[in-house]
């Protein structure tokens, strides 16, 4: 170009010619990684604190293993014609010829004589809880992607679950108990989902696997605490179990409200850039000034995509895209079999004739090595192969469930992640909802209807995983345009990454 032409050429054209071809602008994931890729101790502690919600979740899920257990009974010494060997149930014996080994108030089955009412009524409280989980999962999942956000939905779920749990201790009859268990399951449905998504979205890519495993470890801790609490209250009322698990959960929800920040990813996707700046600043412990964040994030980065939208916009976005719908259907089908075995085995330990406290403790302890196995699989093995291989027993089902949930967070973008993971968890719960009925049938007609069906379901579930893509080591997407294996396009979700780097203050 001559000097004259150079002098008269438009400035914008000259700058583009001098700078060379435009580089592909990165996504929100690149911007977030620039600020919190090297996750500090404070970030990691906050993520683990959020993950502790899984401990509260585990207590409400498996509490019925003790409160709804069928207690043992014995014949009275003065009674005649009473023989435990001849009568499988005390319902066929004359009144006054037998007695429970523990106080009648120790279980809802003995207090309200549910064992004599048939398997349908005996399994109704546990099935009602899982039915509530299903209803809540479908109706509340989208709120975390739209109106309330991850943190808001987590606080509402924890507070509501604990309040209903405390009210359950006041249930005057079995029908009120069933209704309260349904409401408890309704609000509980989003605790684990929001905690998992939020904890993985407030750390960098290198720590997501570790934080995910921390969620599962906390779940094992909560599960393991139940036999300890139940044994300490073995001669007390089942109502005390609900009070001892609900009140600490209520206190924890208050701490989450004041100590935890909202997901900056979700804030950016919703167009709340200033709130995202403040969240990132708090996550970094105030090491980066708000002014420097504003320069890079607000001026250079136009990351907002949808500040509004209906409550069900996330589900509609999945429905409109065949690739997302196929992923969701496949992983939900696999999750159903995992859920049936995962929830069915612990709830059915009472049918094995062994000590209830030790049996539940052994099941809870099985969570710990399976969590370690999940950590190895998440960090080093392919997602598809991991889930397909880990569907053979309860120990393996624990690891399979862990990997399935991590897999689900990586399969879907930020804009619909909470809704998608919520639906995956509902498939797990749907499998769990069928477990109490199968357990009751197994007690009446033979173990094939419980353990046999569990084995068939878990054996078939791994076949659906072959339909899913591999995600290990790949960046997560933030918008639906980036999903499905497509390259991120130059949309409002892109930004000038070099400007973000320059203005970043460690």
């Amino acid at each position: 170009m001559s000097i004259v032409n150079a002098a008269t050429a438009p400035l914008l054209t000259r700058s583009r010619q001098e700078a060379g071809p435009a580089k592909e602008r990165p996504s929100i994931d690149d911007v977030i990684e620039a600020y919190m890729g090297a996750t500090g101790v404070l970030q990691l502690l906050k993520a683990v604190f959020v993950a502790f919600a899984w401990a509260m979740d585990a207590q409400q899920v498996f509490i019925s293993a003790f409160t709804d257990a069928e207690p043992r009974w014995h014949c009275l010494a003065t009674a005649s014609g009473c023989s435990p060997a001849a009568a499988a149930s005390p319902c066929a014996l004359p009144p006054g010829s037998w007695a429970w080994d523990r106080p009648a108030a120790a279980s809802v089955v003995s207090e309200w004589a549910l064992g004599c009412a048939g398997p349908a009524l005996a399994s109704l409280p546990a099935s009602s809880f899982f039915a509530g989980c299903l209803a809540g999962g479908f109706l509340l999942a989208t709120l975390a992607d739209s109106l309330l956000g991850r943190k808001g939905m987590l606080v509402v779920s924890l507070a509501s679950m604990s309040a209903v749990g405390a009210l359950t201790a006041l249930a005057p009859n079995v029908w009120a108990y069933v209704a309260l268990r349904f409401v408890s399951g309704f609000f509980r449905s989003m605790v684990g989902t929001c905690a998992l998504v939020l904890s993985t979205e407030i750390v960098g890519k290198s720590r997501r696997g570790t934080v995910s495993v921390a969620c599962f470890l906390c779940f094992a801790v909560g599960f393991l605490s139940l036999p300890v609490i139940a044994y300490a209250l073995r001669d007390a009322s089942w109502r005390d179990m609900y009070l001892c698990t609900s009140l600490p959960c209520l206190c924890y929800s208050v701490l989450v409200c004041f100590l935890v920040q909202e997901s900056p990813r979700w804030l950016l996707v919703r167009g709340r850039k200033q709130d995202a700046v403040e969240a990132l600043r708090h996550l970094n412990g105030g090491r980066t000034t708000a002014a420097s964040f504003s320069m890079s994030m607000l001026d250079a980065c136009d990351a907002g995509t949808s500040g509004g939208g209906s409550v069900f916009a996330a589900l509609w976005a999945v429905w409109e895209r065949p690739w997302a719908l196929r992923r969701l259907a496949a992983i939900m089908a696999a999750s159903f079999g995992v859920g049936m075995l995962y929830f069915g085995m612990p709830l059915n330990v009472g049918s094995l004739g062994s000590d209830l406290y030790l049996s539940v403790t052994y099941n809870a302890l099985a969570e710990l090595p399976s969590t370690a196995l999940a950590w190895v699989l998440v960090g080093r093995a392919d997602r598809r192969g991991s889930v397909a291989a880990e569907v053979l027993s309860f120990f393996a089902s624990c690891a399979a469930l862990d990997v399935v949930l991590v897999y689900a967070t990586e399969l879907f973008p930020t804009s619909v992640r909470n809704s998608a993971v919520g639906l995956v968890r509902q498939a797990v719960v749907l499998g769990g909802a069928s477990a109490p009925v199968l357990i009751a049938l197994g007690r009446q007609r033979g173990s094939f209807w419980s353990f046999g069906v569990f084995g068939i379901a878990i054996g078939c579930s791994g076949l659906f995983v072959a339909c899913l893509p591999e995600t290990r080591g790949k960046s997560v997407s933030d918008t639906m345009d980036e999903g499905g294996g497509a390259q991120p396009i130059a949309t409002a979700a892109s930004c000038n990454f070099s400007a973000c780097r320059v203005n970043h203050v460690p």
Side-chain angles (χ1 to χ4, degrees), residues 24 321 323 327 475 477 479-489:
E24 181 181 342
R321 291 163 174 82
W323 64 265
R327 289 185 184 183
S475 297
S477 56
T479 65
M480 294 300 288
D481 292 326
E482 298 173 3
Q487 293 295 327
I489 61 177

Side-chain angles (χ1 to χ4, degrees), residues 37-234:
T39 303
V41 176
L42 181 62
Q43 281 178 263
L44 195 57
L45 288 177
K46 287 185 177 181
V48 172
F49 180 72
V50 173
F52 192 73
W54 280 64
M56 309 297 179
D57 182 47
Q59 290 181 338
Q60 293 303 312
V61 169
F62 292 116
I63 192 173
S64 59
F66 295 100
T67 60
D68 299 8
E70 185 172 357
R72 297 181 180 181
W73 58 277
H74 61 275
C75 293
L76 297 177
T78 58
S80 61
C82 177
S83 173
S89 171
C91 301
L93 298 176
S97 62
W98 61 275
W100 299 109
D101 288 357
R102 296 165 54 202
S107 169
V108 298
V109 174
S110 54
E111 180 173 335
W112 293 322
L114 299 184
C116 300
L121 185 59
S123 63
L124 185 59
S127 295
S128 176
F129 175 80
F130 287 116
C133 292
L134 287 173
F138 285 112
L139 296 177
L140 300 179
T142 56
L143 292 177
D145 282 327
S146 56
L147 300 179
L148 296 180
R150 283 77 158 113
K151 174 189 171 182
M153 190 71 255
L154 178 60
V155 172
V156 170
S157 299
L158 284 169
S160 301
M161 180 182 72
S162 58
V164 174
L167 290 175
T168 304
L170 305 177
N173 53 57
V174 65
W175 303 112
Y177 179 71
V178 168
L180 287 168
R181 289 300 287 161
F182 178 89
V183 178
S184 177
F186 182 86
F187 288 110
R188 169 263 162 192
S189 61
M190 296 311 301
V191 171
T193 302
C194 292
L196 176 64
V197 173
L198 178 58
S199 61
T200 55
E201 288 184 350
I202 62 176
V203 296
K205 182 191 307 182
S206 61
R207 295 291 187 179
R208 285 180 199 146
T210 302
V211 170
S212 298
V213 172
C215 291
F216 310 140
L217 182 61
C218 290
F219 191 86
V221 170
F223 190 4
L224 192 57
S225 69
L226 277 177
V228 177
I229 298 173
Y231 187 77
L233 301 174
R234 60 189 180 278

Side-chain angles (χ1 to χ4, degrees), residues 363-445:
N363 277 272
L365 287 174
E367 292 266 2
L368 298 178
S370 67
T371 300
L373 176 60
W375 180 75
V376 174
L377 294 175
V378 167
R380 302 183 181 181
D382 292 345
R383 303 293 189 253
R384 290 183 298 181
S386 301
V387 178
E390 298 305 319
V391 289
L392 301 176
S393 64
F394 175 70
F395 170 81
S397 73
C398 297
L401 179 62
D402 297 349
V403 179
V404 159
L405 294 177
V406 175
Y407 198 3
T409 63
E410 299 172 348
L411 283 172
F412 301 94
T414 302
S415 57
V416 299
R417 182 173 297 127
N418 205 93
S419 298
V421 175
L423 290 175
V424 171
R425 291 197 78 210
Q426 298 328 298
V428 175
V429 171
L430 183 60
S434 62
V437 178
L438 293 173
I439 291 169
L441 286 173
R443 290 171 180 167
Q444 297 287 328
R445 303 181 183 179

